[in-house]
Amino acid sequence: MTYDVEKIRADFPSLKSGLAFFDGPGGSQVPNQVGTAIAAAITQPISNRGVTTLSEKNAEEIVLGFRKAVGDLINADPAGVVYGRSWTQITYDFSRTLAKSWKPGDEIIVTTLDHDSNIRPWVQAAEAVGVVVRWAKFDTTTGELPTSAISELLNEKTRLVAVTGAGNTLGTRPDIQEIAQAVHKTNALLYVDGVHLTPHTPIDMQAIGADFFGLSFYKIFGPHCAAIAAKPELLKTLNNDKLLPSTSESPERFEFGTLPYELMAGCTATIDYIANMVDGSGSRRQRIVNSMAAAEKYEEELFEYMESEIKALPGVTLYGHAENRTPTLYFNLKGISGAEVHKHLAGLKVNAPASNFYALEVSRALGLGDTGAVRAGLAPYSTTEDVDRLIAGLRQLAK
Ligand SMILES: Cc1ncc(COP(=O)(O)O)c(C=O)c1O
C-alpha cells in the first residue's frame, strides 16, 4: 500500500492554482473523476426514478448505486442510507422525527465539543417537548472528551446521545466505541456526527456501534451534500412527517422531494475515487479501508511535522492536544487577530481561515468568545511543501 501524494494531487485541477489548502476541514478540493461523473449523470437521459424507460432506470441506478457506495464507505446497510442536502439539514430532520416519541422529563445528552449542527437541532427539539438537555463537557486544557463525561450523565431517562466522531476545530476524537457501549447499557440512541472524522480514517459504523452515523461529502472530495445511515429496522420504527403521495418506504421516506441524481452520482464517484486512491485489491470496501488507512498514516506523519513547527513559533497558543486527534490545529498568535493571520496567509496563497467554525461551544469554552482562532487542517493531498509555506507565513507574524 504505497501512498503516492503526487499521483493523487494530479487528479485535482484546483491544486494547479498554486494555493496551499489548510481549509480542508471546511471543505476539500475535488478530483476530476467526481466532476466528470456529475456532468455525465446530468447530461445522460435522465427522468424521475422508475423501472420503465431508460431515463427512469438511469435515475434508479444512481440512487441504488449511491446507497451501496455509502454502505461501503462506512460499513452500513445500504437499505439504511438516507441522502440529505447537508448534515445540518439531516440533523434538523431527524431531531424533529425522534422528538416525536420524547416525553416531558426525558433527557438527552449533547457535548460542548460538537459542531453546532449536532447541538442546536437537539436542544431546540428538546425545548419544544420539555425534555432536559444534559451537557457533556470537554476538558478545555487537554481538548479531550472522556467517555466518563457522557457516561456519568446517562440514566434510564436518557433518550439520545449526540456526539461528534471528531471535533472540527480541536480535532479531538472521542472514543466513540466506548461511548456506544456505555450508551447501550441504557435505552438511549447514539447519534454520531462523522463529518470531520470520515475524511481522516477508515470508518466502520457497525464496529463503532453507532445507531446513526453521518458524513458530508464536500469534506471528503465530493459534492456539497450529505448522508446518514442507520439500521433499516431502526428507520422503520420512526414516524416522520411526509407528503401524502410520497412513499412510506424507508429510506425514501426520509428524503424529501426529487433527489439530485447528479450529486448522488458524484458521491458514488467520490467513494470510487477513495477506493482507488491507493493501489490495492479486493472488494470496494476493502480498498476503501486500505486507502483510508494509508491516508491516515500519511497525514499523521505530516501532522507531527506541522505541529512541531507551529509549536516552535514564538507567541503561539495551541488549543487542545487530545491523544487521539485528526490532523487539525487550532491556534492564535500573540498580538495579532486570527482574521489578520488569515488575510496575511491569503496574500501568500495559503488558505487557513480563522473563525469559531460553528463549533461555537468550543470557542466559548476556550475563552475565545464567538471569534475563535486560526485553523490549519491537513487533507490527503497536503504536502511538506504546503506546510513549509504555512510556517514561513506564520513566522513573518510571530513575535
Ligand atoms: C464536524 C462537523 N459537523 C457538521 C458540519 C456541518 O456540515 P454541513 O455543512 O453538511 O451541514 C461540519 C462543517 O463544518 C463539521 O465540520
Side-chain angles (χ1 to χ4, degrees):
M1 95 178 173
T2 45
Y3 192 82
D4 185 348
V5 71
E6 289 308 327
K7 177 176 153 280
I8 291 164
R9 287 178 68 83
D11 290 326
F12 289 75
S14 65
L15 297 183
K16 296 186 178 61
S17 64
L19 288 164
F21 293 95
F22 291 93
D23 51 358
S28 71
Q29 302 306 300
V30 176
N32 268 318
Q33 290 85 333
V34 173
T36 305
I38 293 173
I42 202 165
T43 50
Q44 71 177 333
I46 192 102
S47 305
N48 286 344
R49 284 178 79 179
V51 290
T52 312
T53 69
L54 168 69
S55 47
E56 288 168 0
K57 286 182 195 164
N58 282 342
E60 184 70 15
E61 208 174 289
I62 286 175
V63 174
L64 298 182
F66 166 84
R67 300 205 203 288
K68 202 161 179 305
V70 175
D72 282 350
L73 180 66
I74 60 176
N75 196 24
D77 185 333
V81 172
V82 177
Y83 168 88
R85 199 189 71 68
S86 65
W87 175 253
T88 303
Q89 178 251 304
I90 286 175
T91 305
Y92 262 116
D93 287 349
F94 275 91
S95 63
R96 290 172 183 142
T97 296
L98 290 166
K100 281 174 174 241
S101 70
W102 297 347
K103 301 180 304 303
D106 283 351
E107 299 183 3
I108 64 164
I109 299 173
V110 294
T111 91
T112 55
L113 183 68
D114 272 78
H115 185 281
D116 216 54
S117 60
N118 204 31
I119 298 176
R120 224 54 58 186
W122 300 113
V123 170
Q124 291 160 1
E127 275 168 6
V129 218
V131 161
V132 177
V133 179
R134 303 229 174 259
W135 289 84
K137 295 191 176 147
F138 76 94
D139 180 325
T140 50
T141 315
T142 60
E144 301 279 7
L145 180 74
T147 302
S148 59
I150 290 176
S151 57
E152 67 198 14
L153 303 177
L154 282 164
N155 61 55
E156 71 287 353
K157 287 187 268 176
T158 315
R159 303 298 308 274
L160 179 111
V161 175
V163 64
T164 192
N168 63 313
T169 50
L170 303 184
T172 307
R173 290 175 56 172
D175 189 338
I176 299 294
Q177 203 163 350
E178 199 179 79
I179 291 171
Q181 282 162 10
V183 171
H184 291 143
K185 283 185 189 144
T186 71
N187 288 323
L189 293 171
L190 179 63
Y191 188 96
V192 179
D193 171 354
V195 174
H196 183 65
L197 180 64
T198 310
H200 298 293
T201 191
I203 302 290
D204 184 338
M205 78 170 276
Q206 299 189 37
I208 290 171
D211 296 299
F212 296 90
F213 187 98
L215 70 139
S216 281
F217 290 94
Y218 72 97
K219 310 279 191 186
I220 180 166
F221 304 161
H224 293 86
C225 59
I228 189 163
K231 285 207 181 84
E233 309 83 72
L234 172 59
L235 288 183
K236 284 190 187 124
T237 64
L238 305 180
N239 173 26
N240 64 328
D241 290 328
K242 63 161 211 64
L243 302 183
L244 215 49
S246 71
T247 179
S248 298
E249 296 293 314
S250 52
E252 281 76 7
R253 189 153 56 84
F254 300 94
E255 297 169 326
F256 302 106
T258 309
L259 290 168
Y261 304 119
E262 61 282 3
L263 296 188
M264 296 175 98
C267 295
T268 303
T270 302
I271 294 166
D272 283 332
Y273 182 80
I274 293 167
N276 295 325
M277 199 160 66
V278 170
D279 290 338
S281 56
S283 68
R284 180 169 58 186
R285 169 73 190 156
Q286 284 162 342
R287 288 182 289 116
I288 289 167
V289 171
N290 187 46
S291 286
M292 289 310 298
E296 183 171 29
K297 186 163 176 288
Y298 173 78
E299 287 185 348
E300 253 168 35
E301 280 166 21
L302 194 52
F303 184 61
E304 240 175 69
Y305 173 60
M306 176 166 88
E307 188 177 26
S308 66
E309 289 291 304
I310 290 192
K311 253 188 190 161
L313 293 171
V316 73
T317 305
L318 266 170
Y319 302 101
H321 49 87
E323 204 172 308
N324 202 2
R325 263 183 299 166
T326 62
T328 309
L329 290 178
Y330 201 46
F331 61 94
N332 270 322
L333 293 180
K334 197 165 120 203
I336 180 161
S337 72
E340 283 171 285
V341 175
H342 175 205
K343 202 164 161 210
H344 173 79
L345 292 173
L348 304 170
K349 295 184 91 175
V350 174
N351 290 9
S355 170
N356 60 55
F357 299 102
Y358 280 35
L360 195 62
E361 299 296 339
V362 174
S363 181
R364 289 180 179 175
L366 291 171
L368 299 170
D370 293 2
T371 310
V374 183
R375 179 176 67 181
L378 296 177
Y381 45 69
S382 302
T383 61
T384 309
E385 194 215 323
D386 288 343
V387 173
D388 286 339
R389 284 172 56 195
L390 170 70
I391 304 301
L394 292 173
R395 202 168 280 137
Q396 291 168 355
L397 301 173
K399 343 183 206 317

